[in-house]
Amino acid sequence: ARASSCWSRISCGGGRLDQRQVRGTAGCLRGGEGGARFGLTVPFLPDYTRGMRARGTEGYAETADRLVGQYESRSFADVHKSILHLIPTAPCRVLDIGAGTGRDAAALAAMGHRVLAVEPTAEMRRHGQRLHPVPALEWIDDSLPDLAHVHARAERFDLVMMTAVWMHLDEPERRRGMDRVAGLLQPGG
């Protein structure tokens, strides 16, 4: 089998756009012309996916320099004021999916939590690492719906954050993604 682009149709802004989906459980493979799409169940993404974009992240790499200012202009407390009371006060393990520039992950680390920041767009991840060089904050390249790299670590988290991420997934991906995220929570998390 060879690496290829897998295409799916999604709704975006009222129109229909073709979006490249290259990461699932471990990417997509297509054998021959019009071959079937299937997800791998290995605990890593093979090297052939390097440089490919997760579906739903299109445009973020090209606009990362502009987006960093926009994202960092609002504080964590301001963005999340309605849920701040739900965030544990005792130090715990936090997973921030779609961490972007790391604003939320850094704020959670400043509260004493150990944070794993998941961001599939390398340009956004680099901004986050530059802006928030915090020892309690670790960055990883992974994406929904499968979070293969995160699951391969066999860790559980007390809190999972997803800010402005869910809308990038279609309904079947949301169902699969929710199961994958739920499997990462500690009992009672």
Side-chain angles (χ1 to χ4, degrees), residues 8-188:
S8 62
R9 301 286 285 177
I10 65 167
S11 293
C12 183
R16 305 269 314 163
L17 301 174
D18 283 329
Q19 301 292 331
R20 188 167 70 169
Q21 179 182 359
V22 296
R23 292 194 201 214
T25 304
C28 296
L29 295 179
R30 186 173 69 180
E33 285 301 311
R37 178 182 142 181
F38 59 96
L40 301 175
T41 55
V42 294
F44 59 88
L45 291 175
D47 285 342
Y48 67 78
T49 63
R50 279 184 213 273
M52 297 178 151
R53 299 248 181 249
R55 188 178 76 73
T57 65
E58 296 83 1
Y60 282 93
E62 297 78 14
T63 59
D65 292 340
R66 181 178 52 83
L67 290 173
V68 70
Q70 180 182 338
Y71 291 173
E72 294 291 322
S73 70
R74 295 193 60 208
S75 73
F76 171 82
D78 181 44
V79 172
H80 299 293
K81 61 185 163 206
S82 65
I83 63 158
L84 288 177
H85 67 282
L86 299 173
I87 297 175
T89 54
C92 68
R93 190 75 172 121
V94 177
L95 178 63
D96 184 4
I97 301 171
T101 61
R103 175 203 59 213
D104 297 351
L108 290 160
M111 293 176 187
H113 305 300
R114 287 183 325 127
V115 182
L116 180 62
V118 175
E119 176 51 52
T121 305
E123 293 79 0
M124 297 296 279
R125 216 171 35 253
R126 280 194 294 271
H127 278 298
Q129 291 166 325
R130 176 184 54 80
L131 290 167
H132 306 289
V134 179
L137 172 53
E138 180 184 354
W139 288 85
I140 187 171
D141 176 10
D142 207 352
S143 62
L144 285 164
D146 293 304
L147 297 168
H149 287 300
V150 177
H151 275 274
R153 296 166 63 110
E155 293 179 60
R156 296 292 177 257
F157 301 86
D158 303 292
L159 174 66
V160 174
M161 294 283 294
M162 274 190 275
T163 304
V165 172
W166 213 235
M167 76 274 202
H168 294 295
L169 303 176
D170 62 26
E171 189 61 32
E173 290 169 324
R174 288 177 183 177
R175 281 192 295 274
R176 190 167 80 234
M178 187 54 74
D179 287 342
R180 298 291 286 174
V181 170
L184 293 167
L185 278 170
Q186 290 277 16

